[in-house]
Amino acid sequence: MAISPQITNLVIILGFMQISKKIPFDDPNVLNAVRALYVVSNIIIAGIYFFVQQKINKKNDMTVVKYVEPAPMGSGEEPKFVATTVKAYDLQKLREAYKAQLMGVGMMAVMHIYFKYTNPLLIQSIIPLKGAFEGNLVKIHLLGQSATGDLQRPWKAAGGMMGAMSGGEIKTDKKSIEAAERAGRGGVKDE
C-alpha cells in the first residue's frame, strides 16, 4: 500500500515545524544558510522542469489526445471539448508547473521579506522539491515511467479543494467526447 503524497507532506511539515523550533534563525549565518537552501531548491526545480521541457520537445509526440474539460465551478459555462497533441498537452502542464513554482516563490518572498517569517523557508525548501518529483511530467519524462494507468493523458484533476474548484473530473469516455464534439462547445484544438 502506497502512502499518499498529502500524508507524507503533512508528516514532513509537522516534522520540520518541530525541527525549525530548535534552529537559531536569529543567527545571521544560520538564516543565510536556510535562505541558500531555499534558493538552491528552487534552482533544482527549475532545472528539472527545463530538462523535462527539452525531453518533451525532443520526443515531439504528435499523438492526438481528446477529452472533455469540465466547466469551472459556478461559472455556468458548458464543459469544453479539447483536441490536442501529447506534446502540446505536456507543454501546457509544464507551463502550469512553472507558474505554480513562481507563485510559491512570490508568496514565500512576501512572507519572508515583508512579514519576516523564517520558519517556512525550511519547509518550502523540501515540499516543492518533493512535489516536483511526484509530478506526472517528471515521472514520465525524467523517471521513464510509461504513460499508462494514472499516468495516461489527460491526467485526473488534483484532489482536494483545488480539484473541486476546477469543476470536476476530465471526461475521456467516447460518449462524452462525441457529445461535446457534436455540440461544438468551445472546442479547443492545439497543434
Side-chain angles (χ1 to χ4, degrees):
M1 182 176 107
I3 299 173
S4 82
Q6 291 87 0
I7 300 294
T8 56
N9 284 353
L10 184 62
V11 169
I12 290 171
I13 289 169
L14 293 174
F16 274 95
M17 283 174 64
Q18 296 305 313
I19 292 170
S20 67
K21 288 179 183 177
K22 294 172 178 31
I23 295 176
F25 286 109
D26 50 348
D27 180 348
N29 293 329
V30 172
L31 183 58
N32 286 334
V34 173
R35 286 175 179 155
L37 176 67
Y38 180 74
V39 170
V40 167
S41 169
N42 278 286
I43 289 171
I44 291 170
I45 294 168
I48 289 168
Y49 290 161
F50 179 75
F51 187 68
V52 166
Q53 183 177 6
Q54 300 305 311
K55 296 277 257 184
I56 292 169
N57 289 328
K58 186 178 177 186
K59 283 182 184 176
N60 199 24
D61 189 346
M62 298 312 247
T63 307
V64 175
V65 177
K66 293 181 181 182
Y67 58 96
V68 179
E69 199 172 77
M73 193 170 88
S75 69
E77 296 174 13
E78 294 291 322
K80 182 171 58 172
F81 170 74
V82 179
T84 187
T85 63
V86 168
K87 178 182 178 182
Y89 182 82
D90 285 1
L91 288 174
Q92 174 201 356
K93 293 298 177 187
L94 187 62
R95 277 191 298 278
E96 291 172 12
Y98 271 126
K99 195 191 292 185
Q101 182 190 8
L102 286 174
M103 285 183 63
V105 169
M107 288 173 53
M108 193 66 241
V110 168
M111 287 175 63
H112 182 63
I113 295 167
Y114 185 71
F115 293 112
K116 307 288 187 225
Y117 289 132
T118 53
N119 293 11
L121 279 173
L122 190 61
I123 296 167
Q124 291 302 314
S125 298
I126 308 299
I127 298 288
L129 188 59
K130 177 182 168 288
F133 280 102
E134 291 170 347
N136 292 338
L137 288 170
V138 172
K139 286 179 182 176
I140 292 171
H141 295 289
L142 198 65
L143 304 177
Q145 296 181 16
S146 65
T148 57
D150 286 346
L151 294 178
Q152 185 174 350
R153 295 166 188 91
W155 298 314
K156 290 181 173 53
M161 194 170 88
M162 294 308 288
M165 286 176 61
S166 69
E169 216 173 295
I170 291 173
K171 294 185 176 146
T172 57
D173 60 287
K174 194 171 183 173
K175 184 179 175 186
S176 297
I177 290 172
E178 286 175 355
E181 277 181 313
R182 276 195 308 274
R185 292 185 278 229
V188 174
K189 187 170 184 176
D190 294 330
E191 301 231 15

